[in-house]
Each structure stands twice: as structure tokens, then as C-alpha cells.
């Protein structure tokens, strides 16, 4: 049973470009969470999605960031017009049904904005 | 917003010694998780604590939860070099996890 998969593992973007990060949850999991980790810090919640629904986006910056989890395919975290401050590790986690179940983390995507 | 505080932030300990990492959180929650993260890697689940008084042990690590005090501890017994990593606690706040700042542990010979 494959774990949570994220790609790419490393992504380099110039300022002003767009970054797309993908996350495929574990088999049987229908809930996806995105977290951001700045260097030397803990993980900060960004958004919680179910298939075709955003459940909680209270941790998402109001501009440039969006997330989706379509009926088919992986969840996508999209960052438009990236800035240097967006450089971080972005982790995706999945769970079976949401709030009551343990989250399993993917390997992360390390975004570097030059 | 639920706040989670860990201490110490940095811990350097000699092999063979014992130590405890503390995790305090600000509002009621019955579920607490401990994770380990090696540099440049993802988070590895260590313990899931689901009720007041829960105690779990794996090897040289033991975790406990006191929901009334809103406190969890991660106790390290007879530390070895392989335990060097950053340890995070996380509290389940209705779907999203709130993470502590992490404790960076270095075990020295």
C-alpha cells in the first residue's frame, strides 16, 4: 500500500512564476491537508480538503494561493506569482475520514524561489 | 487559535542519559500526536495518544497525555545517537493539526 505521494520533491521557480504542487493521498483516504514548514519552524496548517470540497482554508494566505482536490486525480496546491517568502517545504497529509483519524504525511515538496 | 508550545526547543544530551520533552496546549483536545523529523525528511508518526492518562512506549521513547493539565510528555530513556532528530507534538483541532515548534535533539557520545 503506497503512502502519501507528493511531486515534485524539489521545485525551483523564479519570482513571479507559478508553482503547482501535487499530492496523491493514501489508498482509501478521502481527506487531504496541506501544511507549510518554514526553515527551523514547525508545520503550519494551510487547508483541509475533501473530494471536490474545501472544508477549511483558514490557514491559506488570502492572495496567490489556491487548492483543489478534484473528483479524479491528485490534490493541487497552486501558488501564483511566487515571491522569495514562499520558499518552504510544503507537506501534504491524508486521512481516512477527517477530524477523528490520524493523518499520514507525504515526503514534502521543497520549493525554492530565486 | 489553539496554541501548542514545546520545551525545550533545543536539547543536547549525552548517550545513556534520560530526558523529557514537554508539550503544552491551550484548549481542550483529547488527541495528541508525536512525530519525528530527520533533516530534509518528512514526518514519521511515533505515537497517537487518544485519551486522558494514555501512555505508550516504543523502544527508548515513552509518551503520555494528561488532558486535564493539557500536557503531554515524551520521555527518552538511555539516549542513543540514532534518536537525534527534531520531535514535534501536534494537537488535533477539529480537522487541522496544530504543531508545536519542535524540539531539536542531539545525542552526543
Amino acid at each position: 500500500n503506497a503512502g502519501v505521494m507528493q511531486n515534485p520533491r524539489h521545485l525551483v521557480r523564479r519570482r513571479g512564476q507559478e508553482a503547482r504542487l501535487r499530492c496523491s493521498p493514501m489508498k482509501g483516504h478521502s481527506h487531504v491537508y496541506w501544511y507549510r514548514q518554514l526553515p527551523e519552524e514547525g508545520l503550519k496548517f494551510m487547508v483541509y480538503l475533501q473530494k471536490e470540497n474545501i472544508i477549511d482554508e483558514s490557514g491559506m494566505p488570502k492572495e496567490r494561493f489556491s487548492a483543489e482536490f478534484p473528483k479524479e486525480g491528485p490534490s493541487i496546491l497552486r501558488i501564483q506569482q511566487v515571491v522569495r517568502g514562499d520558499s518552504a517545504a510544503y507537506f501534504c497529509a491524508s486521512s481516512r475520514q477527517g477530524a477523528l483519524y490520524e493523518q499520514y504525511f507525504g515526503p514534502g515538496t521543497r520549493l525554492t524561489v530565486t | 487559535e489553539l496554541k501548542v508550545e514545546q520545551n525545550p526547543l533545543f536539547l543536547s544530551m549525552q548517550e545513556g542519559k534520560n530526558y523529557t520533552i514537554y508539550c503544552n496546549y491551550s484548549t481542550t483536545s483529547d488527541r495528541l500526536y508525536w512525530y519525528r523529523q530527520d533533516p530534509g525528511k518528512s514526518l514519521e508518526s511515533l505515537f497517537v495518544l487518544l485519551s486522558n492518562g494514555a501512555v505508550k512506549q516504543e523502544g527508548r521513547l515513552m509518551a503520555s497525555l494528561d488532558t486535564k493539565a493539557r500536557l503531554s510528555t515524551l520521555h527518552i530513556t538511555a539516549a542513543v545517537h540514532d534518536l537525534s532528530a527534531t520531535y514535534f507534538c501536534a494537537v488535533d483541532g477539529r480537522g487541522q493539526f496544530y504543531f508545536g515548534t519542535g524540539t531539536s535533539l542531539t545525542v552526543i557520545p
Side-chain angles (χ1 to χ4, degrees):
Chain A
N1 185 14
V4 179
M5 298 176 70
Q6 289 186 249
N7 69 82
R9 297 290 305 275
H10 299 273
L11 181 61
V12 179
R13 284 285 177 267
R14 291 200 183 97
R15 276 179 297 173
Q17 291 185 320
E18 178 179 287
R20 279 184 180 235
L21 288 62
R22 293 174 185 76
C23 168
S24 297
M26 284 179 70
K27 188 175 180 180
H29 287 192
S30 56
H31 293 243
V32 164
Y33 313 78
W34 285 94
Y35 295 85
R36 176 164 64 178
Q37 185 179 33
L38 295 170
E40 310 297 327
E41 293 188 10
L43 278 72
K44 295 284 195 297
F45 168 80
M46 299 182 75
V47 62
Y48 163 27
L49 309 106
Q50 205 177 348
K51 288 276 186 184
E52 299 184 284
N53 278 317
I54 297 175
I55 308 299
D56 181 353
E57 57 181 347
S58 58
M60 286 277 271
K62 294 286 186 284
E63 297 176 351
R64 303 188 297 107
F65 284 73
S66 62
E68 62 176 9
F69 189 15
K71 188 175 178 182
E72 302 290 336
S75 175
I76 308 260
L77 179 68
R78 183 178 174 213
I79 311 171
Q80 295 179 287
Q81 298 176 320
V82 295
V83 300
R84 287 233 173 96
D86 296 333
S87 295
Y90 291 83
F91 289 95
C92 163
S94 72
S95 70
R96 273 192 287 157
Q97 286 190 27
L100 298 179
Y101 291 86
E102 184 178 2
Q103 298 180 16
Y104 294 83
F105 284 81
T109 293
R110 278 148 185 86
L111 172 66
T112 303
V113 179
T114 61
Chain B
E1 181 183 305
L2 195 156
K3 300 259 188 240
V4 183
E5 292 184 348
Q6 277 181 247
N7 71 82
L9 297 184
F10 297 94
L11 176 57
S12 180
M13 56 190 298
Q14 284 192 312
E15 278 190 333
K17 298 292 187 185
N18 304 334
Y19 208 84
T20 300
I21 299 171
Y22 297 88
C23 173
N24 290 89
Y25 52 98
S26 61
T27 62
T28 302
S29 177
D30 289 334
R31 289 183 293 279
L32 190 135
Y33 305 81
W34 283 97
Y35 289 90
R36 167 183 173 146
Q37 186 180 36
D38 291 292
K41 304 288 187 183
S42 187
L43 280 75
E44 174 192 349
S45 178
L46 294 175
F47 299 108
V48 180
L49 302 169
L50 298 177
S51 61
N52 186 41
V55 177
K56 290 199 174 177
Q57 182 163 6
E58 181 74 33
R60 301 174 189 273
L61 300 178
M62 184 173 72
S64 66
L65 177 61
D66 181 343
T67 57
K68 291 178 182 171
R70 297 177 189 166
L71 170 69
S72 179
T73 61
L74 180 66
H75 187 73
I76 303 153
T77 302
V80 294
H81 179 69
D82 285 351
L83 291 180
S84 296
T86 299
Y87 293 84
F88 291 98
C89 63
V91 176
D92 189 336
R94 294 190 303 277
Q96 60 167 284
F97 278 16
Y98 293 85
F99 280 83
T101 46
T103 296
S104 177
L105 170 65
T106 303
V107 180
I108 52 179

